[in-house]
Amino acid sequence: MSDDPAEGMPNHAALVDLAQRLSPLLRFGTSSWNYPGWRGLIYSRDYPGSGAGAAMLGEYAQWPLARTVGVDAFFYAPPQPKALDQYAAVLPADFRCVSKVWDRITTHTFVNPRDRARQGELNPDWLNAELFERDVLTPMREHFLPHTGPFVLEFTSVARQAMTSAAFAARLDAFFGALPMDMRYAVELRNAELLTPEYFAVLRNHGVAHVYNAWTRMPTIGEQMAMPDTITADFLVSRALLRQGRTFAEAVDAFAPYDRIRERNPRLRADLIALARLAIALRIPLYVLIGNRTEGCSPLTIAAIVEQLVIAGGS
């Protein structure tokens, strides 16, 4: 692996031109925004490693290619009104965020939990629709509705013997059946064996999107796209996070501080471009979140993909 300094950020005028030529159906963004190493790429000044969330988000949202962002912090705790008000105050009117859902809702079995006493226990609140509506949907409606995009329910890996694919599909069916459907929901899996016809049928019945994800133990985005009947909603979501076979910790060690492309992933770029063209052909929105651990610097990856889309046409 080696640094690739040749792939730099286009200047501001070029970024504005790319943004103007990119289809409004395509919303590219990064997986979170709290990266001080992006100074000179997105940020014009130094930010501390924590505590500057709203200020950083406000500057991030002015980057010409940013049309969405992943709010990963909501995976670790439900959204709080004060933070939502601060975020809403700095975002442009049409800027919609992709919010991860509190892991208290999506964790099946506690593995490496923040409360060590619960290690190995089944989660009594797994897919608890009432808790989700009360602690996640309600504050988002009251404090962040104009900026609310899809909610992503990320299901972390579970042992195969812990849950059958049929049981998972049935629980998803009951969960979405109990929710108000005026919001957009999406499901991200980390167990490839759960990608079954029953799973896609449940999503389709409720208008919920499957998240085409790039993750260490999942099929590639292109391989997921090739599966039958994977388009299950009137919008698409993709999260590009890791190369197949690479762990999160390995990627952190290889790519921090995320200020340059360290390792190009042509297959991933081609898959995301194909997904973007599919969204345009179907005339439905696509939300694409790219993490730093895919190539080393997600803003540079986004710029390279958007540039390829625009130059090649069909964007």
Side-chain angles (χ1 to χ4, degrees):
M1 183 185 306
S2 62
D3 292 359
D4 186 2
E7 192 159 36
M9 183 68 73
N11 62 39
H12 183 76
L15 289 172
V16 171
D17 179 65
L18 288 173
Q20 291 173 343
R21 295 166 64 187
L22 187 67
S23 168
L25 292 171
L26 305 180
R27 289 181 178 262
F28 283 89
T30 63
S31 181
S32 192
W33 65 90
N34 191 20
Y35 295 103
W38 291 350
R39 179 171 183 179
L41 298 173
I42 288 182
Y43 301 130
S44 61
R45 63 184 181 90
D46 289 328
Y47 288 98
S50 61
M56 291 181 82
L57 178 60
E59 187 167 5
Y60 168 92
Q62 299 304 315
W63 187 53
L65 299 185
R67 294 180 177 176
T68 188
V69 73
V71 190
D72 292 355
F74 295 163
F75 182 72
Y76 304 101
Q80 299 300 309
K82 180 179 179 180
L84 292 174
D85 289 341
Q86 290 174 341
Y87 294 165
V90 299
L91 290 175
D94 189 42
F95 194 98
R96 293 187 175 267
C97 300
V98 178
S99 301
K100 289 178 67 174
V101 171
W102 186 23
D103 65 348
R104 186 61 178 267
I105 310 295
T106 59
T107 295
H108 177 270
T109 304
F110 292 113
V111 179
N112 300 321
R114 290 179 285 283
D115 179 1
R116 294 290 181 179
R118 309 201 71 173
Q119 175 74 25
E121 291 183 8
L122 295 178
N123 176 14
D125 289 317
W126 184 59
L127 289 176
N128 182 332
E130 182 180 355
L131 180 64
F132 175 66
E133 186 163 4
R134 185 190 72 206
D135 286 13
V136 177
L137 286 188
T138 296
M140 294 291 282
R141 283 185 191 281
E142 294 178 353
H143 298 270
F144 206 63
L145 188 60
H147 304 292
T148 297
F151 291 93
V152 170
L153 292 96
E154 176 196 303
F155 293 91
T156 54
S157 299
V158 297
R160 292 193 178 203
Q161 63 270 22
M163 176 174 54
T164 67
S165 59
F168 177 66
R171 283 295 297 269
L172 274 185
D173 191 28
F175 175 77
F176 288 120
L179 293 183
M181 297 311 294
D182 60 336
M183 294 288 195
R184 285 176 164 171
Y185 308 111
V187 172
E188 179 175 346
L189 301 181
R190 301 289 172 84
N191 284 72
E193 67 273 12
L194 298 180
L195 293 167
T196 64
E198 293 82 3
Y199 160 75
F200 290 115
V202 166
L203 299 190
R204 189 174 305 106
N205 288 342
H206 296 283
V208 174
H210 164 70
V211 176
Y212 298 93
N213 63 336
W215 185 252
T216 180
R217 290 179 297 276
M218 288 291 288
T220 66
I221 289 172
E223 289 168 341
Q224 292 176 48
M225 290 174 62
M227 294 177 180
D229 301 322
T230 62
I231 300 174
T232 55
D234 61 358
F235 65 101
L236 299 172
V237 180
S238 181
R239 296 212 315 144
L241 304 173
L242 287 174
R243 182 187 289 268
Q244 276 185 318
R246 175 175 288 146
T247 68
F248 184 85
E250 289 169 345
V252 169
D253 291 342
F255 296 153
Y258 314 120
D259 58 352
R260 69 192 68 186
I261 297 293
R262 304 278 185 174
E263 179 184 280
R264 294 187 191 185
N265 189 334
R267 182 175 186 179
L268 174 66
R269 294 185 184 189
D271 286 347
L272 291 174
I273 288 170
L275 190 59
R277 289 175 174 156
L278 177 62
I280 292 169
L282 295 175
R283 298 183 181 180
I284 60 177
L286 166 65
Y287 294 81
V288 177
L289 297 180
I290 298 178
N292 279 323
R293 287 95 186 175
T294 56
E295 296 188 327
C297 180
S298 50
L300 288 174
T301 300
I302 290 171
I305 290 173
V306 170
E307 189 171 33
Q308 189 173 346
L309 262 170
V310 168
I311 291 174
S315 66

